[in-house]
Amino acid sequence: MRILSLSNVTKTFGGLVAVGGVSCGVERGSVVGLIGPNGAGKTTVFNLITGSIKPDDGHIFFSGHSISGLKPHKVVTLGVARTFQTIRLFPKLSALENVLSGCHCRMRSGLISSVLRLPSQRLEEKLVIDRAMSELEFVGLARLWRSSSGSLPYGDQRRLEIARALATEPKLLILDEPAGGMNEQETIELRKLVFNIRDRDITVLLIEHDMSFVMHVCDQLLVMENGLLIAQGEPQDIQKDPKVIEAYLGVDDDR
Amino acid sequence: MSASNFQSSALGKLLTYLSILLFLSIPWLLSALGLESAPYWVDVLNNIGLYTMLALSLNLILGQAGMFHMGHAAFFAVGAYTTAILNLNHGWSIMATMPVAALAAGFVAAVLAGPIIHLRGDYLLIVTIGIVEIVRIALTNDIFGLTGGPSGLFGIARPSFFGFKLTKPHHFFYFIWFMVILSLILFNWLENSRFGRALKFIKEDAVAAENMGINTTFYKFLAFVVGAAWAGVAGTVFACRLRTVSPESFNFGESVVLFTIVILGGSGSQKGVLLGSFLVMGLPQILRDFQDKRFLIFGAALVVMMIFRPQGLIPPKPARFCLPEPWAERYGSKGD
């Protein structure tokens, strides 16, 4: 069953076709990699799915809802969470507070119960800290809960961003270059983390340039070039696909 | 948590309560000393209290949500005039007008916020300056025949509680500072809630907040309306204290003063706002001996401040959390 499907999604910036009629789907429970050379339009596809930008044409469906053109916070509430290519934590706030931002959309307390400190609000505050700590522990950062996120090492910041996204209780998690800037050891740990996320019945869609990571982690690959989807399939087939090889290595002029 | 840590925090609490008690006995001490100028100084403290209330309500919008709003005097005016009109034309008691003043100011803010809430930084600043001017000019022009034109409205009743009428400055001292303490408590609770955290996330990075599922437009709107409503409450206090309201009390300068208090004290910090009010409203009174040079001294102090301590005198402290078990045992119970 497809949890996410794009049909003929198009986005142009001025004269540039960033995404030109992309149609594809993501199976529930899978780990799908979106790859392609720089400027292929991968991050634009992510921004279209999460509502940061609106498509000019086409439709995006997420578990039965049309989400094209919805505001980002609505898309998150429906169950799509993301991380950013360039880390976008709240650097001055603690790791715990960062994760609490993800918990927000699953909480209920409003203005009145907060200003009057009703028992329901105080109970919810307790439960939400418990929940945030569980997510921090899940990514292995619980002991650093009081550290300001900006002071954490790069790899930890990446994992904290994942914890924050998981706190929104997503059904689909979108990771934009999660291994970017990570060393070899951290990348191996990230691999395990992605499998653990999948085991929680969360579908994962990721952009990544580290090919060995992509080949190890993904069940399915989508390949983009110049705003178009040029191939999709299992990693070992994609590796042999002439179109993909051409996109990455270029054609031999002498042939 | 170690024992010495506990003792020092308990001592800190005791000192806080003692200083509050000492502060609240100032009017009594002044009159016990037989100072002739006692009522004057109590009045200065009343003024500081009123501006603390206003600055705390602005702090929600400017300090916590990070919206550059320089038209707060407009909502203060709506509250003050609502109380004046209801009391003079309809004979309402002062305290009964207070919730209506809050609603009226909140309503005006809600109507105005719609088209401007998405504006950023300096753009919002300019629009809010426009708002305060529009309100002042509308009041001067006797809008709806209710506001009494340039001379305003006078003869507003004094507030009374259970038959006790507030007349002397030290009566108002306790009324105003009760309202200040109430503001401090309510805004502190609000800050450490889902709502307050949402504002903090928006201030830090609105794009990230929106992508974490926070309806940024809604929360900015709500902060604007709640801050305005509390300024309306301060308007009621203002109207019954001076017994007169006129457009010139709510000019652009007042908005700037409030803006200065929040930025100077420390955006988003209650202690900072409190200190800011004492400095901005109290210092010119203490510097009276320097006559017309006092505002020069004051202005120079502000310039120096902003160069060497742009985050304000007392910037906000990181939020504290108490971990529930089993986390506390594993990772430590308290954190700053």
Side-chain angles (χ1 to χ4, degrees), chain B residues 133-150 247:
Chain B
E133 277 304 284
I134 290 168
V135 168
R136 188 184 63 82
I137 291 165
L139 295 173
T140 311
N141 286 316
D142 198 10
I143 190 170
F144 309 130
L146 284 171
T147 63

Side-chain angles (χ1 to χ4, degrees), chain A residues 71-73 76 82 88 90 97 101 104 107 109 111 114-115 117 125 130 133 137 142-143 145-146, chain B residues 189 193-194 197 200-201 205 208 210-212 214-215 217 219 226 319 321 323 327 330-332 334:
Chain A
K71 282 198 157 197
H73 73 265
V76 177
R82 75 172 296 176
R88 265 199 119 129
F90 305 107
E97 271 181 299
S101 74
H104 176 94
M107 294 171 74
S109 295
L111 191 65
S114 299
V115 91
R117 280 226 161 163
E125 284 291 308
D130 192 62
M133 285 306 291
E137 191 166 64
R143 80 206 138 75
W145 66 278
R146 354 167 185 224
Chain B
W189 283 354
S193 73
R194 177 174 178 248
R197 277 197 304 271
K200 202 192 269 184
F201 299 136
D205 184 343
E210 176 77 28
N211 275 284
M212 285 305 117
I214 293 163
N215 188 345
T217 314
Y219 277 97
V226 172
F321 292 93
L323 289 195
W327 308 106
R330 266 184 253 167
Y331 304 112
K334 286 234 171 182

Side-chain angles (χ1 to χ4, degrees), chain B residues 41 283-294 297:
Chain B
W41 285 110
L283 218 51
Q285 302 301 330
I286 293 169
L287 294 174
R288 264 186 122 76
D289 294 344
F290 297 93
Q291 304 264 334
D292 47 349
K293 286 187 202 72
R294 63 188 167 135
I297 296 168

Side-chain angles (χ1 to χ4, degrees), chain B residues 255-271:
Chain B
S255 297
V256 176
V257 165
L258 292 171
F259 198 89
T260 310
I261 290 174
V262 174
I263 300 290
L264 174 83
S267 260
S269 147
Q270 289 201 329
K271 278 182 192 157

Side-chain angles (χ1 to χ4, degrees), chain B residues 229-252:
Chain B
W230 202 251
V233 171
T236 299
V237 177
F238 174 89
C240 69
R241 172 171 165 244
L242 293 189
R243 304 188 64 195
T244 165
V245 289
S246 69
E248 282 318 304
S249 309
F250 311 102
N251 58 23
F252 174 58

Side-chain angles (χ1 to χ4, degrees), chain B residues 115-331:
Chain B
I116 66 166
I117 206 77
H118 63 279
L119 295 177
R120 256 171 238 165
D122 33 7
Y123 298 99
L124 183 69
L125 192 92
I126 290 164
V127 172
T128 51
I129 292 171
I131 289 174
V132 78
E133 277 304 284
I134 290 168
V135 168
R136 188 184 63 82
I137 291 165
L139 295 173
T140 311
N141 286 316
D142 198 10
I143 190 170
F144 309 130
L146 284 171
T147 63
S151 53
L153 302 166
F154 28 86
I156 300 159
R158 297 192 177 280
S160 61
F161 297 92
F162 311 107
F164 180 81
K165 208 175 229 182
L166 307 185
T167 50
K168 298 258 159 49
H170 65 267
H171 296 161
F172 276 97
F173 176 86
Y174 291 107
F175 174 47
I176 289 173
W177 283 92
F178 168 79
M179 293 302 292
V180 171
I181 290 168
L182 184 68
S183 314
L184 286 167
I185 293 169
L186 294 182
F187 281 116
N188 183 37
W189 283 354
L190 212 50
E191 188 183 335
N192 295 301
S193 73
R194 177 174 178 248
F195 172 73
R197 277 197 304 271
L199 297 186
K200 202 192 269 184
F201 299 136
I202 291 167
K203 185 186 178 186
E204 291 289 315
D205 184 343
V207 174
E210 176 77 28
N211 275 284
M212 285 305 117
I214 293 163
N215 188 345
T216 49
T217 314
F218 173 74
Y219 277 97
K220 283 202 278 191
F221 175 83
L222 208 56
F224 202 68
V225 171
V226 172
W230 202 251
V233 171
T236 299
V237 177
F238 174 89
C240 69
R241 172 171 165 244
L242 293 189
R243 304 188 64 195
T244 165
V245 289
S246 69
E248 282 318 304
S249 309
F250 311 102
N251 58 23
F252 174 58
E254 295 302 301
S255 297
V256 176
V257 165
L258 292 171
F259 198 89
T260 310
I261 290 174
V262 174
I263 300 290
L264 174 83
S267 260
S269 147
Q270 289 201 329
K271 278 182 192 157
V273 169
L274 198 57
L275 180 64
S277 303
F278 271 91
L279 290 179
V280 173
M281 300 313 297
L283 218 51
Q285 302 301 330
I286 293 169
L287 294 174
R288 264 186 122 76
D289 294 344
F290 297 93
Q291 304 264 334
D292 47 349
K293 286 187 202 72
R294 63 188 167 135
F295 283 105
L296 182 74
I297 296 168
F298 183 70
L302 279 186
V303 171
V304 171
M305 231 331 273
M306 282 296 106
I307 291 170
F308 292 105
R309 211 174 157 81
Q311 73 274 39
L313 290 170
I314 311 176
K317 276 192 185 160
R320 292 175 69 97
F321 292 93
C322 268
L323 289 195
E325 294 301 340
W327 308 106
E329 202 184 323
R330 266 184 253 167
Y331 304 112

Side-chain angles (χ1 to χ4, degrees), chain A residues 230-245:
Chain A
I230 57 165
Q232 53 184 318
E234 292 184 13
Q236 53 270 39
D237 301 331
I238 292 291
Q239 266 176 315
K240 294 176 212 135
D241 193 310
K243 270 202 270 180
V244 177
I245 295 167

